[in-house]
Amino acid sequence: MPVTSTATKRPPSKPRFSTRQLAVIGVMTAVTCILAPLSLPIGPVPISLTNLAIYFSLYTLGTKFGCVSYLIYLLIGFIGVPVFSGFTSGPGKLLGPTGGYLIGFLPMALIAGIFIDKFISNRFICLLGMIGGTVVAYAFGTVWLAYQASLDWKAALMAGVIPFIPGDLLKMILAMLAGPQIRKQLARAGLFAG
Protein backbone atom coordinates (compact mmCIF):
# COMPACT_ATOMS: atom_id res chain seq x y z
CA MET A 1 0.00 0.00 0.00
CA PRO A 2 1.50 3.39 -1.01
CA VAL A 3 2.32 5.84 1.75
CA THR A 4 0.75 9.24 1.27
CA SER A 5 2.33 12.33 2.63
CA THR A 6 0.27 14.37 5.02
CA ALA A 7 2.45 17.40 4.46
CA THR A 8 0.78 20.12 2.47
CA LYS A 9 2.54 21.74 -0.37
CA ARG A 10 3.16 25.44 -0.11
CA PRO A 11 2.18 27.55 -3.05
CA PRO A 12 5.16 28.96 -4.90
CA SER A 13 6.26 32.21 -3.32
CA LYS A 14 5.85 35.38 -5.28
CA PRO A 15 9.19 36.94 -6.28
CA ARG A 16 10.06 40.12 -4.42
CA PHE A 17 10.84 41.94 -7.67
CA SER A 18 9.51 41.37 -11.14
CA THR A 19 11.89 41.27 -14.08
CA ARG A 20 10.55 44.63 -15.22
CA GLN A 21 11.12 46.18 -11.77
CA LEU A 22 14.66 44.81 -11.63
CA ALA A 23 15.38 46.24 -15.07
CA VAL A 24 14.13 49.73 -14.19
CA ILE A 25 15.97 49.65 -10.83
CA GLY A 26 19.14 48.66 -12.73
CA VAL A 27 18.71 51.51 -15.20
CA MET A 28 18.25 54.10 -12.45
CA THR A 29 21.20 52.70 -10.50
CA ALA A 30 23.27 53.06 -13.68
CA VAL A 31 22.04 56.66 -14.10
CA THR A 32 23.15 57.40 -10.52
CA CYS A 33 26.52 55.74 -11.17
CA ILE A 34 26.97 57.97 -14.23
CA LEU A 35 25.81 61.28 -12.72
CA ALA A 36 27.19 61.01 -9.17
CA PRO A 37 30.93 60.96 -10.04
CA LEU A 38 30.55 64.20 -12.01
CA SER A 39 31.47 66.77 -9.41
CA LEU A 40 32.93 70.18 -8.90
CA PRO A 41 35.41 70.31 -6.01
CA ILE A 42 34.81 73.53 -4.08
CA GLY A 43 36.19 72.42 -0.71
CA PRO A 44 35.94 69.34 1.45
CA VAL A 45 32.44 68.67 0.07
CA PRO A 46 32.14 68.74 -3.74
CA ILE A 47 29.10 69.78 -5.73
CA SER A 48 27.72 66.59 -7.29
CA LEU A 49 24.64 65.38 -9.11
CA THR A 50 23.97 62.51 -6.69
CA ASN A 51 20.88 64.03 -5.13
CA LEU A 52 19.46 64.94 -8.55
CA ALA A 53 19.82 61.31 -9.62
CA ILE A 54 18.07 60.23 -6.39
CA TYR A 55 15.16 62.64 -6.93
CA PHE A 56 14.65 61.28 -10.45
CA SER A 57 14.92 57.71 -9.14
CA LEU A 58 12.11 58.45 -6.69
CA TYR A 59 9.89 59.76 -9.46
CA THR A 60 10.68 56.87 -11.80
CA LEU A 61 10.74 54.03 -9.25
CA GLY A 62 8.73 55.13 -6.23
CA THR A 63 10.02 55.19 -2.66
CA LYS A 64 10.75 51.50 -2.10
CA PHE A 65 12.56 50.82 -5.35
CA GLY A 66 14.22 54.26 -5.37
CA CYS A 67 15.79 53.44 -1.99
CA VAL A 68 16.81 49.99 -3.28
CA SER A 69 18.45 51.64 -6.29
CA TYR A 70 20.41 54.00 -4.03
CA LEU A 71 21.48 51.14 -1.73
CA ILE A 72 22.79 49.24 -4.76
CA TYR A 73 24.70 52.37 -5.81
CA LEU A 74 26.26 52.62 -2.32
CA LEU A 75 27.23 48.95 -2.44
CA ILE A 76 28.82 49.37 -5.88
CA GLY A 77 30.90 52.29 -4.58
CA PHE A 78 31.71 50.52 -1.33
CA ILE A 79 33.22 47.50 -3.11
CA GLY A 80 35.54 49.70 -5.13
CA VAL A 81 33.85 50.79 -8.35
CA PRO A 82 34.61 54.55 -8.71
CA VAL A 83 31.03 55.87 -8.68
CA PHE A 84 31.23 58.35 -5.82
CA SER A 85 31.95 62.06 -6.43
CA GLY A 86 35.20 62.69 -8.23
CA PHE A 87 35.30 59.04 -9.40
CA THR A 88 36.23 57.78 -5.92
CA SER A 89 35.13 54.63 -4.14
CA GLY A 90 35.68 52.29 -1.22
CA PRO A 91 34.95 52.17 2.51
CA GLY A 92 37.32 55.09 3.08
CA LYS A 93 34.98 57.37 1.15
CA LEU A 94 31.99 56.35 3.26
CA LEU A 95 33.97 56.78 6.47
CA GLY A 96 35.69 59.98 5.30
CA PRO A 97 34.52 63.59 5.79
CA THR A 98 31.79 63.42 3.13
CA GLY A 99 30.50 59.98 4.09
CA GLY A 100 27.72 61.46 6.20
CA TYR A 101 26.17 63.00 3.12
CA LEU A 102 26.29 59.68 1.25
CA ILE A 103 24.58 57.95 4.17
CA GLY A 104 22.23 60.90 4.71
CA PHE A 105 20.92 60.57 1.16
CA LEU A 106 19.18 57.34 2.22
CA PRO A 107 16.78 58.96 4.75
CA MET A 108 16.49 61.85 2.28
CA ALA A 109 15.25 59.38 -0.35
CA LEU A 110 12.82 57.81 2.11
CA ILE A 111 11.32 61.12 3.23
CA ALA A 112 11.18 62.72 -0.22
CA GLY A 113 9.88 59.48 -1.75
CA ILE A 114 6.96 59.23 0.67
CA PHE A 115 5.91 62.79 -0.21
CA ILE A 116 6.34 62.15 -3.94
CA ASP A 117 4.35 58.91 -3.85
CA LYS A 118 1.50 60.33 -1.77
CA PHE A 119 1.27 63.77 -3.40
CA ILE A 120 2.53 63.21 -6.97
CA SER A 121 -0.12 65.55 -8.36
CA ASN A 122 0.80 68.39 -5.97
CA ARG A 123 4.20 69.67 -7.03
CA PHE A 124 4.51 72.09 -4.14
CA ILE A 125 4.07 69.34 -1.51
CA CYS A 126 6.55 67.14 -3.43
CA LEU A 127 9.02 70.04 -3.31
CA LEU A 128 8.44 70.39 0.45
CA GLY A 129 9.16 66.67 0.84
CA MET A 130 12.41 67.00 -1.10
CA ILE A 131 13.40 70.02 0.99
CA GLY A 132 12.62 68.16 4.23
CA GLY A 133 14.58 65.11 3.12
CA THR A 134 17.51 67.26 2.05
CA VAL A 135 17.58 69.00 5.43
CA VAL A 136 17.93 65.55 7.04
CA ALA A 137 20.76 64.68 4.62
CA TYR A 138 22.44 68.01 5.45
CA ALA A 139 22.16 67.19 9.17
CA PHE A 140 23.76 63.75 8.75
CA GLY A 141 26.50 65.18 6.57
CA THR A 142 27.24 68.21 8.73
CA VAL A 143 27.53 66.22 11.95
CA TRP A 144 29.87 63.71 10.29
CA LEU A 145 31.91 66.41 8.53
CA ALA A 146 32.34 68.38 11.78
CA TYR A 147 33.49 65.23 13.56
CA GLN A 148 35.80 63.91 10.82
CA ALA A 149 37.38 67.24 9.87
CA SER A 150 37.46 68.66 13.43
CA LEU A 151 35.35 71.66 12.41
CA ASP A 152 33.03 73.72 14.57
CA TRP A 153 29.37 73.82 13.52
CA LYS A 154 29.62 77.14 11.70
CA ALA A 155 32.63 75.98 9.66
CA ALA A 156 30.94 72.66 8.88
CA LEU A 157 27.77 74.44 7.71
CA MET A 158 29.84 76.81 5.56
CA ALA A 159 31.75 73.89 4.04
CA GLY A 160 28.92 71.41 3.57
CA VAL A 161 25.55 73.18 3.46
CA ILE A 162 25.39 76.91 2.73
CA PRO A 163 27.11 76.87 -0.70
CA PHE A 164 24.89 73.98 -1.81
CA ILE A 165 21.46 75.38 -1.02
CA PRO A 166 20.87 77.30 -4.31
CA GLY A 167 22.03 74.41 -6.51
CA ASP A 168 20.09 71.83 -4.51
CA LEU A 169 16.92 73.93 -4.76
CA LEU A 170 17.45 74.11 -8.52
CA LYS A 171 17.83 70.30 -8.69
CA MET A 172 14.62 69.87 -6.68
CA ILE A 173 12.70 72.23 -8.94
CA LEU A 174 13.98 70.42 -12.03
CA ALA A 175 12.92 67.06 -10.56
CA MET A 176 9.56 68.52 -9.46
CA LEU A 177 8.84 69.81 -12.97
CA ALA A 178 10.11 66.86 -15.02
CA GLY A 179 9.54 63.97 -12.58
CA PRO A 180 5.74 63.67 -12.81
CA GLN A 181 5.92 63.68 -16.62
CA ILE A 182 8.58 60.97 -16.59
CA ARG A 183 6.50 58.85 -14.20
CA LYS A 184 3.40 59.33 -16.34
CA GLN A 185 5.24 58.20 -19.50
CA LEU A 186 6.74 55.19 -17.72
CA ALA A 187 3.32 54.21 -16.33
CA ARG A 188 1.79 54.55 -19.78
CA ALA A 189 4.50 52.26 -21.20
CA GLY A 190 4.00 49.80 -18.34
CA LEU A 191 7.49 50.46 -16.98
CA PHE A 192 6.74 52.24 -13.71
CA ALA A 193 8.33 50.02 -11.08
CA GLY A 194 6.53 51.34 -7.99
Side-chain angles (χ1 to χ4, degrees), residues 115-133:
F115 275 77
I116 290 168
D117 285 347
K118 289 190 182 295
F119 304 103
I120 187 71
S121 60
N122 188 324
R123 290 179 172 169
F124 180 70
I125 293 179
C126 290
L127 178 63
L128 288 179
M130 287 186 280
I131 290 170

Side-chain angles (χ1 to χ4, degrees), residues 12-172:
S13 62
K14 184 180 174 186
R16 294 180 194 264
F17 300 104
S18 71
T19 304
R20 181 173 292 161
Q21 290 167 334
L22 286 173
V24 180
I25 289 168
V27 167
M28 288 313 298
T29 301
V31 167
T32 306
C33 289
I34 291 167
L35 292 179
L38 305 176
S39 61
L40 181 63
I42 61 167
V45 182
I47 295 173
S48 81
L49 298 176
T50 308
N51 52 349
L52 178 63
I54 294 168
Y55 299 142
F56 277 121
S57 291
L58 296 171
Y59 275 104
T60 58
L61 300 173
T63 305
K64 177 181 174 182
F65 299 129
C67 288
V68 168
S69 173
Y70 184 68
L71 281 170
I72 293 169
Y73 160 78
L74 281 179
L75 180 62
I76 289 169
F78 181 80
I79 63 172
V81 180
V83 294
F84 296 147
S85 63
F87 297 93
T88 58
S89 64
K93 183 69 172 181
L94 286 175
L95 298 173
T98 60
Y101 297 101
L102 288 168
I103 300 302
F105 284 152
L106 192 56
M108 178 193 83
L110 187 62
I111 294 165
I114 289 169
F115 275 77
I116 290 168
D117 285 347
K118 289 190 182 295
F119 304 103
I120 187 71
S121 60
N122 188 324
R123 290 179 172 169
F124 180 70
I125 293 179
C126 290
L127 178 63
L128 288 179
M130 287 186 280
I131 290 170
T134 301
V135 167
V136 171
Y138 283 162
F140 270 81
T142 302
V143 167
W144 190 249
L145 177 64
Y147 172 75
Q148 281 290 320
S150 300
L151 299 173
D152 62 34
W153 293 112
K154 183 178 178 184
L157 286 170
M158 290 306 296
V161 175
I162 304 301
F164 299 89
I165 292 173
D168 285 349
L169 281 172
L170 186 61
K171 293 173 200 172
M172 290 178 223

